[in-house]
């Protein structure tokens, strides 16, 4: 460097220091070679995979087709065994409210009415309670209590229906007859839904016992669906200034509504087909009445009550046709439920997912 050069004219070369990257874990060569040799030996030993693939695909296809076979067999048996009643009453069977085994006059309308009203009453009671428990367990409940509450909820789903029926007879019927019934009559008697006489057994008691039975189904599935909502949805709502309730309503329930509707549908399906517990508390009287304290009948309860005592081919055929009516009601309700799901989710499927 010359003596007259200043330090500003000196160009300093840039030196790039390479950052040392963490080395990936090294798999021992011997272990890799042993795994590869094992897989290679298996593939060589089994020979061509075409036969195995075709066998696997055929087995899966057989399992899928068995569903169609089962449904077809159920429908075929129900229609075949109810031919006598179908020829005797025709479509009038579903519109008639007469049920007179002595004179051979049968109609399924009181049982269809009892099935629909008791199931809808159960949904009215069970859905708010189920969603409240699911939200509490998932969003509000202290962590140590989540396990016991979830366990008790799932335990209710495992109790046999006959146990629910016995509990209904010894606990629920006296409670509704002596405590809840007079209160409802005093406060809501003007509606005509809760008026005397109140014997404890009736449509309202059946609705309550059904609500208790479908509560764990709706609550457990709703909780799982809400748990699947990504946490960033909750965090985004809270970051925008939402309260906890607003976060649950906008961030959780809004995204989980499709799954919640599916949970309600599953609960409705169980309510429609429940037999033993309902038979023990509904009173078993074929009647169409606005008063929810009156005894009633459902499609499943009349079959359970009278099939073993039925005498005569027409009586048995009428009971089988009631089973066919229950099958049709179940299909119609599920179709309506799917229509509701479609109405809620159309155009929003991608967002919901």
């Amino acid at each position: 460097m010359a003596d007259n050069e200043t330090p500003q004219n000196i160009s300093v070369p840039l030196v790039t220091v390479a950052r040392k990257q963490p080395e990936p874990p090294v798999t021992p060569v011997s272990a890799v070679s042993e795994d590869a040799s094992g897989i290679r030996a298996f593939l060589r030993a089994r020979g061509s995979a075409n036969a195995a693939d075709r066998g696997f695909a055929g087995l899966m296809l057989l399992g899928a087709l068995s569903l169609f076979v089962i449904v077809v067999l159920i429908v075929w048996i129900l229609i075949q065994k109810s031919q006598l009643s179908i020829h005797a009453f025709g479509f009038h069977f579903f519109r008639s409210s007469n049920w007179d085994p002595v004179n051979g006059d049968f109609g399924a309308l009181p049982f269809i009415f009892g099935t629909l009203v008791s199931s809808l009453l159960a949904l009215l009671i069970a859905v708010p309670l189920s969603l409240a428990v699911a939200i509490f367990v998932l969003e509000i409940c202290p962590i140590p209590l989540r396990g016991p509450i979830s366990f008790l909820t799932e335990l209710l789903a495992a109790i046999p229906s006959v146990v629910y029926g016995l509990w209904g007879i010894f606990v629920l019927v006296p409670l509704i007859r002596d405590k809840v019934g007079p209160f409802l009559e005093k406060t809501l008697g003007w509606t005509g839904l809760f008026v005397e006489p109140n014997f404890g057994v009736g449509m309202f008691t059946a609705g309550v016992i059904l609500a208790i039975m479908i509560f764990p189904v709706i609550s457990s599935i709703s909780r799982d669906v809400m748990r699947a909502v990504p946490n960033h949805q909750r965090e985004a709502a809270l970051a925008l200034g939402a309260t906890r309730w607003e976060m649950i309503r906008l961030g959780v329930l809004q995204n989980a509504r499709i799954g919640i509707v599916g949970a309600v549908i599953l609960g409705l399906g169980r309510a429609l087909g429940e037999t033993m517990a309902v038979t023990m508390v509904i009173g078993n009287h074929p009647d169409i009445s606005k008063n929810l304290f009156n005894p009633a009948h459902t499609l499943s309860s009349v079959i359970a009550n009278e099939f073993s005592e039925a005498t005569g081919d027409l009586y048995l055929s009428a009971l089988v046709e009631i089973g066919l009516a229950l099958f049709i009601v179940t299909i119609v309700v599920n179709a309506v439920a799917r229509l509701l799901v479609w109405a809620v989710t159309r155009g929003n499927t991608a967002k919901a997912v």
Side-chain angles (χ1 to χ4, degrees):
M1 182 176 65
D3 296 338
N4 59 352
E5 288 182 351
T6 62
Q8 290 76 8
N9 295 330
I10 300 174
S11 61
V12 178
L14 295 176
V15 177
T16 303
V17 179
R19 181 178 296 176
K20 186 177 181 181
Q21 298 295 328
E23 295 181 355
V26 178
T27 304
V29 178
S30 58
V32 174
S33 61
E34 288 178 0
D35 294 341
S37 62
I39 296 174
R40 190 178 297 110
F42 169 76
L43 295 176
R44 287 176 179 173
R46 65 140 169 85
S48 175
N50 293 333
D53 284 347
R54 284 196 296 270
F56 179 75
L59 189 61
M60 298 300 105
L61 179 62
L62 185 63
L65 291 178
S66 65
L67 296 176
F68 294 95
V69 174
I70 292 171
V71 173
V72 169
L73 285 176
I74 292 174
V75 174
W76 179 68
I77 289 295
L78 289 175
I79 293 177
Q80 185 193 36
K81 297 295 183 182
S82 60
Q83 281 294 317
L84 192 59
S85 177
I86 292 174
H87 287 302
F89 305 108
F91 190 73
H92 183 70
F93 181 80
F94 299 103
R95 295 182 301 175
S96 173
S97 58
N98 295 325
W99 186 259
D100 188 359
V102 176
N103 296 318
D105 188 11
F106 300 100
L109 189 58
F111 314 117
I112 297 174
F113 174 81
T115 301
L116 295 179
V117 172
S118 61
S119 300
L120 292 178
L121 186 60
L123 285 184
L124 286 177
I125 300 172
V127 170
L129 180 63
S130 304
L131 293 182
V133 171
I135 292 172
F136 175 76
V137 170
L138 196 62
E139 304 291 343
I140 303 174
C141 180
I143 293 178
L145 288 179
R146 290 183 181 178
I149 294 178
S150 300
F151 172 76
L152 291 177
T153 303
E154 293 165 2
L155 182 65
L156 288 176
I159 296 176
S161 60
V162 66
V163 177
Y164 276 111
L166 290 174
W167 178 82
I169 289 175
F170 292 111
V171 177
L172 191 59
V173 169
L175 183 66
I176 290 179
R177 183 186 58 216
D178 301 331
K179 302 294 182 183
V180 180
F183 173 76
L184 290 175
E185 183 183 357
K186 183 178 179 181
T187 55
L188 298 175
W190 57 272
T191 61
L193 297 176
F194 304 99
V195 294
E196 291 288 349
N198 175 19
F199 302 106
V201 293
M203 184 75 80
F204 181 72
T205 309
V208 173
I209 203 80
L210 280 176
I212 297 173
M213 296 181 72
I214 66 175
F215 152 74
V217 177
I218 300 175
S219 181
S220 299
I221 299 176
S222 300
R223 187 183 68 234
D224 292 340
V225 170
M226 285 189 280
R227 184 183 288 121
V229 175
N231 280 330
H232 63 74
Q233 296 284 347
R234 298 174 174 85
E235 295 167 357
L238 293 174
L240 291 174
T243 63
R244 173 172 287 190
W245 158 242
E246 291 169 340
M247 178 270 290
I248 293 173
R249 181 168 62 88
L250 300 175
V252 179
L253 295 180
Q254 183 72 15
N255 289 285
R257 65 188 187 281
I258 300 173
I260 293 174
V261 172
V264 173
I265 292 172
L266 289 177
L268 177 60
R270 176 166 187 185
L272 288 173
E274 182 52 45
T275 304
M276 186 54 67
V278 175
T279 305
M280 297 170 76
V281 299
I282 200 170
N284 302 315
H285 182 70
D287 190 17
I288 299 177
S289 174
K290 182 181 178 182
N291 184 12
L292 296 180
F293 286 153
N294 277 356
H297 243 321
T298 64
L299 292 168
S300 55
S301 68
V302 68
I303 296 174
N305 258 330
E306 302 187 11
F307 197 85
S308 61
E309 302 173 355
T311 56
D313 294 337
L314 184 60
Y315 194 180
L316 287 172
S317 180
L319 289 174
V320 175
E321 191 172 359
I322 285 180
L324 180 62
L326 178 60
F327 189 80
I328 294 173
V329 168
T330 304
I331 291 177
V332 170
V333 169
N334 277 280
V336 172
R338 286 185 176 274
L339 184 63
L340 290 176
V341 172
W342 174 81
V344 171
T345 61
R346 59 180 176 177
N348 296 322
T349 305
K351 295 178 182 178
V353 173

